[in-house]
Amino acid sequence: MCLLLGATGVGKSLLVKRLQIEFPGWEGRPGRSAPDAAHGLASGKALVVVSTSRFFPQVGTNLTDIVAQKKITIRELGGCMGPIWSSYYGNCHSLLFMVDASNPTQLSASCVQLLGLLSAEELAKASVLILFNKIDLPCYMTIEEMKSLIRLPDLMACAKQNITTLEISAWKGTGLSDVLRWLQDTHRTNG
């Protein structure tokens, strides 16, 4: 199981939808329909633009299976569920933590959330991928600026987890193949 966490509005739902579209070997959970041309899938290739008119902040939890050599279940939890995220740590092999690179005012709250996750004993063996999203926006901070502001090198030095970082744009699809590769590699070694 992979947990997808982050503050409200950072792009978690869009990331999951784009992974489903970009890599069509996925299987949706009951009640979810497969992506179609209206969602950007044409001839097995993902289009650059995905309609975001259907994306609202996730209030609950959303399970999505992505099949990439092996089935990987991603459990997305809404940012407003932060106080009860710890209820979902069991059976977590990997953690995707998403940060909005275009919102400097939210960065300190994301840092506090990340500190809580990294200090959770149940997540001590989970591999962590920190996703700096929204790099397509003109006002985004560079990865160096964000790492410096949240003192990421210090966090990584003290953390028990293996931590990786990526810059992505869930909107344009930039970096999605790297996210999928990380998921495949992590779930190949972790079970």
Side-chain angles (χ1 to χ4, degrees):
M1 172 80 66
C2 174
L3 285 179
L4 173 55
L5 306 174
T8 301
V10 296
K12 298 179 299 291
S13 295
L14 183 57
L15 173 69
V16 169
K17 180 58 77 177
R18 285 303 303 250
L19 286 172
Q20 290 173 344
I21 292 168
E22 189 79 28
F23 308 101
W26 73 283
E27 299 170 3
R29 289 282 191 194
R32 304 281 179 208
S33 60
D36 57 18
H39 291 93
L41 189 63
S43 306
K45 299 288 182 186
L47 300 176
V48 172
V49 177
V50 172
S51 170
T52 59
S53 62
R54 296 184 188 166
F55 291 99
F56 300 100
Q58 183 72 30
V59 175
T61 181
N62 186 20
L63 286 175
T64 304
D65 291 336
I66 295 184
V67 180
Q69 296 174 342
K70 122 182 215 184
K71 183 175 83 168
I72 301 167
T73 301
I74 299 175
R75 180 183 294 269
E76 173 196 355
L77 298 173
C80 63
M81 293 180 62
I84 62 167
W85 283 352
S86 59
S87 304
Y88 295 90
Y89 293 169
N91 197 29
C92 175
H93 299 291
S94 61
L95 171 66
L96 299 174
F97 184 76
M98 190 172 273
V99 176
D100 184 342
S102 70
N103 188 346
T105 60
Q106 195 179 58
L107 193 59
S108 61
S110 292
C111 181
V112 170
Q113 289 174 327
L114 181 59
L115 280 168
L117 294 168
L118 295 177
S119 64
E121 196 57 43
E122 302 95 328
L123 297 176
K125 294 183 180 177
S127 295
V128 178
L129 176 59
I130 301 171
L131 300 168
F132 295 104
N133 188 31
K134 302 188 182 182
I135 62 166
D136 55 307
L137 298 179
C139 57
Y140 87 98
M141 293 179 286
T142 67
I143 196 165
E144 291 80 17
E145 290 172 316
M146 288 181 289
K147 284 180 176 181
S148 174
L149 286 171
I150 64 173
R151 300 185 62 181
L152 191 58
D154 295 335
L155 290 177
M156 291 173 77
C158 296
K160 297 175 186 173
Q161 299 88 343
N162 179 24
I163 301 173
T164 306
T165 62
L166 282 176
E167 288 182 294
I168 67 165
S169 169
W171 171 255
K172 290 192 174 182
T174 307
L176 293 186
S177 59
D178 295 327
V179 173
L180 184 65
R181 188 175 311 109
W182 183 88
L183 284 167
Q184 289 171 325
D185 292 346
T186 299
H187 285 265
R188 184 180 5 241
T189 59
N190 286 351

Short mmCIF file of all heavy atoms in Angstrom, two decimals, residues 13-23 46-50 55 169-174 176:
data_model
loop_
_atom_site.label_atom_id
_atom_site.label_comp_id
_atom_site.label_asym_id
_atom_site.label_seq_id
_atom_site.Cartn_x
_atom_site.Cartn_y
_atom_site.Cartn_z
N SER A 13 -5.31 14.51 -6.04
CA SER A 13 -6.31 13.85 -6.89
C SER A 13 -5.92 13.92 -8.36
O SER A 13 -6.08 12.95 -9.11
CB SER A 13 -7.70 14.48 -6.70
OG SER A 13 -8.16 14.26 -5.39
N LEU A 14 -5.40 15.06 -8.78
CA LEU A 14 -4.96 15.20 -10.16
C LEU A 14 -3.80 14.27 -10.47
O LEU A 14 -3.75 13.66 -11.54
CB LEU A 14 -4.58 16.66 -10.45
CG LEU A 14 -4.16 16.97 -11.88
CD1 LEU A 14 -5.24 16.58 -12.88
CD2 LEU A 14 -3.80 18.44 -12.02
N LEU A 15 -2.88 14.11 -9.54
CA LEU A 15 -1.75 13.19 -9.73
C LEU A 15 -2.25 11.77 -9.96
O LEU A 15 -1.82 11.10 -10.90
CB LEU A 15 -0.81 13.21 -8.52
CG LEU A 15 0.30 12.15 -8.55
CD1 LEU A 15 1.31 12.45 -9.65
CD2 LEU A 15 0.97 12.03 -7.21
N VAL A 16 -3.18 11.32 -9.13
CA VAL A 16 -3.71 9.96 -9.27
C VAL A 16 -4.40 9.81 -10.63
O VAL A 16 -4.19 8.82 -11.33
CB VAL A 16 -4.67 9.62 -8.11
CG1 VAL A 16 -5.42 8.34 -8.38
CG2 VAL A 16 -3.90 9.51 -6.81
N LYS A 17 -5.21 10.79 -11.00
CA LYS A 17 -5.91 10.73 -12.30
C LYS A 17 -4.90 10.69 -13.45
O LYS A 17 -5.05 9.93 -14.39
CB LYS A 17 -6.85 11.92 -12.43
CG LYS A 17 -7.62 11.96 -13.74
CD LYS A 17 -8.46 10.72 -13.97
CE LYS A 17 -9.72 10.74 -13.16
NZ LYS A 17 -10.58 9.59 -13.43
N ARG A 18 -3.87 11.52 -13.37
CA ARG A 18 -2.86 11.55 -14.44
C ARG A 18 -2.09 10.24 -14.51
O ARG A 18 -1.76 9.77 -15.60
CB ARG A 18 -1.89 12.71 -14.24
CG ARG A 18 -2.44 14.07 -14.59
CD ARG A 18 -2.94 14.17 -16.02
NE ARG A 18 -1.93 13.85 -17.00
CZ ARG A 18 -1.37 14.71 -17.82
NH1 ARG A 18 -1.69 15.97 -17.78
NH2 ARG A 18 -0.47 14.31 -18.68
N LEU A 19 -1.79 9.62 -13.37
CA LEU A 19 -1.11 8.32 -13.40
C LEU A 19 -1.99 7.28 -14.07
O LEU A 19 -1.50 6.44 -14.83
CB LEU A 19 -0.73 7.88 -11.98
CG LEU A 19 0.45 8.62 -11.35
CD1 LEU A 19 0.59 8.22 -9.88
CD2 LEU A 19 1.75 8.35 -12.10
N GLN A 20 -3.29 7.33 -13.80
CA GLN A 20 -4.23 6.39 -14.43
C GLN A 20 -4.25 6.59 -15.93
O GLN A 20 -4.27 5.62 -16.69
CB GLN A 20 -5.64 6.60 -13.87
CG GLN A 20 -5.80 6.18 -12.45
CD GLN A 20 -7.17 6.56 -11.90
OE1 GLN A 20 -7.87 7.38 -12.47
NE2 GLN A 20 -7.54 5.96 -10.80
N ILE A 21 -4.26 7.84 -16.37
CA ILE A 21 -4.34 8.15 -17.80
C ILE A 21 -3.03 7.85 -18.51
O ILE A 21 -3.00 7.26 -19.57
CB ILE A 21 -4.74 9.63 -18.00
CG1 ILE A 21 -6.19 9.83 -17.54
CG2 ILE A 21 -4.58 10.05 -19.45
CD1 ILE A 21 -6.58 11.28 -17.43
N GLU A 22 -1.94 8.27 -17.90
CA GLU A 22 -0.62 8.12 -18.50
C GLU A 22 -0.22 6.65 -18.65
O GLU A 22 0.43 6.27 -19.62
CB GLU A 22 0.41 8.85 -17.64
CG GLU A 22 1.79 8.97 -18.24
CD GLU A 22 1.89 10.07 -19.28
OE1 GLU A 22 1.16 11.05 -19.21
OE2 GLU A 22 2.74 9.92 -20.17
N PHE A 23 -0.63 5.82 -17.70
CA PHE A 23 -0.24 4.43 -17.67
C PHE A 23 -1.51 3.58 -17.66
O PHE A 23 -2.00 3.22 -16.59
CB PHE A 23 0.67 4.16 -16.47
CG PHE A 23 1.80 5.14 -16.42
CD1 PHE A 23 1.77 6.22 -15.57
CD2 PHE A 23 2.88 5.02 -17.29
CE1 PHE A 23 2.80 7.16 -15.56
CE2 PHE A 23 3.90 5.95 -17.30
CZ PHE A 23 3.86 7.02 -16.42
N ALA A 46 -1.40 9.74 -23.37
CA ALA A 46 -1.98 10.81 -22.57
C ALA A 46 -1.79 12.14 -23.29
O ALA A 46 -0.74 12.40 -23.85
CB ALA A 46 -1.32 10.88 -21.21
N LEU A 47 -2.83 12.94 -23.29
CA LEU A 47 -2.74 14.27 -23.85
C LEU A 47 -2.16 15.20 -22.79
O LEU A 47 -2.16 14.89 -21.61
CB LEU A 47 -4.12 14.76 -24.28
CG LEU A 47 -4.81 13.90 -25.34
CD1 LEU A 47 -6.21 14.44 -25.61
CD2 LEU A 47 -4.00 13.87 -26.62
N VAL A 48 -1.69 16.35 -23.22
CA VAL A 48 -1.05 17.28 -22.30
C VAL A 48 -2.07 17.89 -21.33
O VAL A 48 -1.78 18.12 -20.19
CB VAL A 48 -0.31 18.39 -23.08
CG1 VAL A 48 0.19 19.47 -22.15
CG2 VAL A 48 0.83 17.79 -23.86
N VAL A 49 -3.30 18.12 -21.80
CA VAL A 49 -4.27 18.81 -20.98
C VAL A 49 -5.29 17.83 -20.41
O VAL A 49 -5.82 16.99 -21.12
CB VAL A 49 -5.01 19.89 -21.81
CG1 VAL A 49 -6.08 20.58 -20.97
CG2 VAL A 49 -4.01 20.90 -22.34
N VAL A 50 -5.54 17.92 -19.13
CA VAL A 50 -6.56 17.13 -18.45
C VAL A 50 -7.54 18.11 -17.84
O VAL A 50 -7.14 19.07 -17.20
CB VAL A 50 -5.94 16.25 -17.33
CG1 VAL A 50 -7.02 15.58 -16.51
CG2 VAL A 50 -5.01 15.23 -17.93
N PHE A 55 -12.25 18.22 -10.28
CA PHE A 55 -11.40 18.01 -9.12
C PHE A 55 -11.76 18.98 -8.01
O PHE A 55 -11.73 20.19 -8.18
CB PHE A 55 -9.92 18.15 -9.48
CG PHE A 55 -9.45 17.04 -10.35
CD1 PHE A 55 -9.36 17.19 -11.71
CD2 PHE A 55 -9.14 15.80 -9.80
CE1 PHE A 55 -8.95 16.15 -12.52
CE2 PHE A 55 -8.73 14.76 -10.60
CZ PHE A 55 -8.64 14.93 -11.96
N SER A 169 4.78 18.31 -12.37
CA SER A 169 3.57 19.06 -12.69
C SER A 169 2.49 18.03 -12.99
O SER A 169 2.49 17.43 -14.07
CB SER A 169 3.77 19.97 -13.90
OG SER A 169 2.51 20.47 -14.32
N ALA A 170 1.61 17.81 -12.03
CA ALA A 170 0.51 16.86 -12.26
C ALA A 170 -0.37 17.37 -13.39
O ALA A 170 -0.94 16.58 -14.14
CB ALA A 170 -0.30 16.66 -10.98
N TRP A 171 -0.48 18.68 -13.54
CA TRP A 171 -1.30 19.29 -14.58
C TRP A 171 -0.77 18.96 -15.98
O TRP A 171 -1.50 18.52 -16.84
CB TRP A 171 -1.36 20.80 -14.37
CG TRP A 171 -2.00 21.55 -15.49
CD1 TRP A 171 -1.37 22.30 -16.42
CD2 TRP A 171 -3.40 21.62 -15.79
NE1 TRP A 171 -2.27 22.84 -17.29
CE2 TRP A 171 -3.54 22.44 -16.93
CE3 TRP A 171 -4.53 21.07 -15.23
CZ2 TRP A 171 -4.77 22.72 -17.50
CZ3 TRP A 171 -5.76 21.36 -15.80
CH2 TRP A 171 -5.88 22.17 -16.92
N LYS A 172 0.53 19.17 -16.20
CA LYS A 172 1.11 18.93 -17.53
C LYS A 172 1.67 17.53 -17.70
O LYS A 172 2.00 17.13 -18.80
CB LYS A 172 2.21 19.96 -17.80
CG LYS A 172 1.69 21.35 -18.02
CD LYS A 172 2.77 22.26 -18.56
CE LYS A 172 2.16 23.60 -18.91
NZ LYS A 172 3.14 24.51 -19.47
N GLY A 173 1.82 16.79 -16.61
CA GLY A 173 2.34 15.43 -16.69
C GLY A 173 3.86 15.35 -16.53
O GLY A 173 4.43 14.27 -16.60
N THR A 174 4.50 16.46 -16.27
CA THR A 174 5.95 16.49 -16.09
C THR A 174 6.36 15.67 -14.87
O THR A 174 5.84 15.87 -13.79
CB THR A 174 6.45 17.93 -15.92
OG1 THR A 174 5.97 18.72 -16.99
CG2 THR A 174 7.97 17.99 -15.84
N LEU A 176 5.85 12.47 -14.25
CA LEU A 176 5.01 11.33 -13.88
C LEU A 176 5.70 9.99 -14.12
O LEU A 176 5.53 9.06 -13.33
CB LEU A 176 3.68 11.36 -14.64
CG LEU A 176 2.73 12.50 -14.29
CD1 LEU A 176 1.41 12.32 -15.00
CD2 LEU A 176 2.54 12.63 -12.81
#
